Amino acid sequence: MRTHRSKGTESGDDTDQDEDDETTICSREAIKRNIIYYLKNTTLHGLKYIAEEHITIPERVFFGISFIVVFCISGFFISNVYIKWSASPIIISTSAKQKLTSNMPFPAITICNLNQAMLTRVKRLSSSNISLLMSLCDKSGDQTISYIGTWKYFKAILMEVAQPCDDMLISCTFGARREKCSLLFNSILTDDGLCCNFNALDPFYVIRNYSDDVRLEPEEENSKYEAVDWTPENGYAKNLPEFYYPRTSGGTGIRMGLTVVLNASISEYYCTKSMSVGFKVLVHNPAELPKVSNYGFLVTAGREARIPIEPIYEDALPTIRSIKKTTRRCLFSDENDLAYYRTYSRKNCELECEAKLLLQVCSCVLYYLPRIDPAARVCGPNDNACTNQVQTAIESTQSNLSCESCWPGCFELTYRATVSTSSIMTGSSFQPSDDLLATIFRGPYTKISELSMLHFYYVSNTFRSTTKSEMFGFTEFLSNTGGLLGLFMGFSIFSIIEIVYYITVRPYCASRTIQRRRREHQAQLLWLTPVRKPQEQTKQRRRRRWAPPLPPPPYSQLQRKKTKLNKLEKKSIWHTLRDGARDSTTVYPYVD
């Protein structure tokens, strides 16, 4: 019984000691000592005075309140820095390096005759088609006709009544070389009817789901110019063919630009949105569909116009990609979500937005807008009231129907054009310097009042672009924040390391140390305790239990045992522990 009680007592002492070791780290006293040690050794200014043992409590309170006040002031200034960082992270600056106009495409130029239908051709139309044509001219046709037709049908009507580009373009010169106008210009549908377009991107690279029915006329078979892709963000491909379009400029001045002679055919005027005769012209990005009706400028017949062009290019650094779209307010090409166009630009987005709103409100789409729904019908004369109302609402800034979600592209190319005109002079006594022009004006086109001459050209080979970049990036925010914290509190990155150390590393190391000491203590106890086989212990117990009582020893043996006990008392503590280990009833002292 004594043996079992001793073992239980020993194991109970070890268990109590283990529990004390485990609770020592998480005790209040241990946490308090750890905090005091941190306050005395931290690099933050002012905290060591709070843990100072040789100052009074009011002094400690003073330094504690001072630290809190300094912390709040630094937080106030840091909040101002953060507001500035989050509110205006983008800055638009002028590029230090000039760009060459030869690396940019010459602008696309769309020319429309103010007359949208020729008189001799309109006479061959039926009454329903004439009413449809009146809606194109913004005039009141037969509103009782409910037009339900496809885009192909409407395209066929426009191609039948409009003036062909071959009749409107008399002479074309580009880069000091006269060329066939059909190789330079293509027919295109705009909000001003059928027009002629120069240097626009091929429809294959403009429209996502391209099909041949998009083209108004077949491609020129004998053309040596090959269509290539171009975007404001990526530019041209590295390997280009010898002749390609969109073309680049060969130089500056009228001689290296584009010169065209136009025939207005005033005698064929039947349908127009204007009160004058002549042409409407728009200079625009080659990857955008032109809206000539609202943004084009007029050149009246019988005049010569000079139109110097200045490219305006906006680019962006890749670092602004990390900024939210709602903050930077521009989109990269791979972020566009346009359904019809491949290349994102603000104007392309607005055209798609206008088509969606018309389809939603009027259940139709105007003939020149993107066909986002191939099954949607083209708006007819009976839809004029609805379409005018929607377009007015889109252009108004105080309407719910708007396209405010169309942000500018981070890379955009636009052109600024200025116009100056003068009357064309002819006569036997007037000799022009250009023999070609003299031949034209003295040839079959004798009515000078119906002709116009336009010159498009660059005034410089170089220009400066604008770049969108981070005005206040994360590095600037971190440096400003670190400067404020260092000024007010002496804070640094190492201060964070200290806090992490005292919260995690120091308690972990203390726990490991306690566990190591516990294992060493248990190893010492096991080394001192003799190992007995279970069978031998059982045999000894049986012998002790069934052995017969021995007779009392003689007196001489008692004297010998007494002498041995006296010798044992003189042994060392090591012999005592060793000999006592043989007795299972011995209780070992706690080894710290």
Side-chain angles (χ1 to χ4, degrees), residues 279-505:
F279 304 92
K280 190 175 289 187
V281 184
L282 181 65
V283 179
H284 59 93
N285 188 318
E288 295 177 351
L289 182 70
K291 290 196 72 173
V292 185
S293 181
N294 282 346
Y295 306 108
F297 58 87
L298 293 177
V299 177
T300 58
R303 301 185 72 85
E304 179 183 5
R306 291 197 172 194
I307 306 159
I309 299 170
E310 179 185 358
I312 302 173
Y313 184 64
E314 300 177 5
D315 58 6
L317 297 180
T319 53
I320 70 172
R321 280 182 176 268
S322 58
I323 302 174
K324 294 181 180 179
K325 299 177 185 178
T326 54
T327 303
R328 56 177 151 97
R329 305 289 294 181
C330 72
L331 295 178
F332 288 90
S333 59
D334 56 352
E335 296 175 337
N336 87 69
D337 55 351
L338 299 183
Y340 187 77
Y341 295 105
R342 292 179 56 188
T343 303
Y344 180 86
S345 68
R346 186 172 189 171
K347 292 184 178 179
N348 287 348
C349 179
E350 290 174 349
L351 288 174
E352 281 200 11
C353 175
E354 183 178 351
K356 291 178 181 178
L357 292 177
L358 285 172
L359 190 60
Q360 178 182 355
V361 179
C362 305
S363 300
C364 65
V365 179
L366 291 172
Y367 67 94
Y368 62 89
L369 291 177
R371 289 177 290 154
I372 54 178
D373 184 4
R377 67 180 182 88
V378 177
C379 298
N382 52 321
D383 299 309
N384 282 356
C386 181
T387 56
N388 291 335
Q389 182 180 0
V390 171
Q391 288 182 320
T392 303
I394 292 174
E395 296 172 358
S396 176
T397 58
Q398 300 178 353
S399 174
N400 295 329
L401 294 176
S402 63
C403 298
E404 295 180 354
S405 59
C406 291
W407 295 336
C410 295
F411 289 78
E412 282 200 344
L413 177 64
T414 56
Y415 300 90
R416 181 184 294 115
T418 56
V419 184
S420 59
T421 63
S422 178
S423 300
I424 297 176
M425 296 290 296
T426 58
S428 57
S429 60
F430 184 77
Q431 298 293 332
S433 59
D434 195 333
D435 296 336
L436 173 64
L437 298 180
T439 303
I440 292 174
F441 291 129
R442 293 175 183 175
Y445 304 99
T446 56
K447 294 183 179 180
I448 302 302
S449 60
E450 295 188 357
L451 302 181
S452 296
M453 182 183 297
L454 309 180
H455 305 279
F456 304 89
Y457 57 94
Y458 283 143
V459 295
S460 175
N461 281 326
T462 61
F463 67 98
R464 292 188 183 274
S465 63
T466 57
T467 303
K468 302 180 184 70
S469 58
E470 279 187 314
M471 181 184 70
F472 206 77
F474 179 75
T475 303
E476 289 77 12
F477 173 75
L478 186 63
S479 60
N480 289 347
T481 302
L484 291 171
L485 290 175
L487 175 65
F488 285 96
M489 303 167 56
F491 185 86
S492 65
I493 297 297
F494 205 82
S495 302
I496 300 178
I497 298 176
E498 287 180 348
I499 296 174
V500 173
Y501 166 75
Y502 281 99
I503 293 177
T504 59
V505 179

Side-chain angles (χ1 to χ4, degrees), residues 24 197 253 413 427 530:
T24 300
N197 179 264
L413 177 64

